[in-house]
Amino acid sequence: MADPISVKQLLEAGAHFGHQTGHWHPRMKSFIYTQRNGIHIIDLEQTAIMLEKACSFVRELVGSGGNILFVGTKRQAHEAIEEEAKRCGMYFVNQRWLGGMLTNFSTIQSRIDYLVRLEDRKDRGELDYMTKKEKLKIEKEIARLNKLMGGFKEMIDLPGALFIVDPTKESIAIAEARKVGIPIVAMVDTDCNPLNIDYPIPSNDDAIKAIRLVCGIISDAVLEGKMMKETGEAGPIEEQPASVEATEAVESYIFSPEGDEPIAS
């Protein structure tokens, strides 16, 4: 099992920076440590604990044969979502959430089938017998559909859970997942409603470093779950405590909300 998540790692990634104090969700109050220069500071001790809970859930789900769909369509999350989902062999959406992807899965599957048929025609060389204009049109359609659905075109069933970066932006995905009863793991910033999330992870969801760190940790949990499945391990995963006390770590830094990184005092 991977080492416990430390508050220091989260701090160095800028996960503690929330939104401005005037732009927050009241239900995030219990996850806020303090405020500095008009910016809410997230309690990273709680982040570390809740991230461990989320990882335990992911490990158990994947260990029992379930799949995770990584979702993050904001610009800062594009690369991290795709790279970490591919690294652990899971599905992802990093461009645009297609309405009905969970609630009308059969229709989405028909579009995926259409994409696969086009790719098969291309692989068999059928496009070489078309005019240049027709060939270019089909190639553009393949590229467009792959951009939208390439990350989940091999997903034949609904996922066992969603991992989401920024639930506020992915509100449609949240609504669909709740409607069909799919658990949600998500990074929740101070402007999010954590009650809509089964496994909330209080964290800055705008900083690229923070997104990459949390995505990487969830990806590691998926890989551990796959290893559990292969070795036949069973039983709940014991949660590991954070290795650094949040109060000590927070007080040893000067906060600079204008940037993503804390400055050591």
Side-chain angles (χ1 to χ4, degrees), residues 108-124 126 138 141-143 145-146 149-150 152-156:
I108 299 299
Q109 281 294 105
S110 67
R111 296 301 295 166
I112 293 175
D113 291 341
Y114 173 63
L115 168 60
V116 171
R117 287 196 299 272
L118 290 180
E119 290 179 327
D120 286 343
R121 291 177 65 186
K122 182 179 179 180
D123 293 340
R124 291 196 300 267
E126 290 184 18
I138 292 179
E141 180 69 355
I142 290 173
L145 292 175
N146 261 318
M149 303 185 295
F152 60 90
K153 66 181 179 182
E154 295 179 1
M155 187 173 73
I156 59 176

Side-chain angles (χ1 to χ4, degrees), residues 17-38:
F17 291 127
H19 285 271
Q20 294 181 345
T21 53
H23 184 208
W24 70 303
H25 197 291
R27 295 192 185 279
M28 283 296 293
K29 183 177 181 179
S30 61
F31 300 119
I32 295 174
Y33 174 72
T34 186
Q35 62 181 54
R36 301 283 174 85
N37 303 322

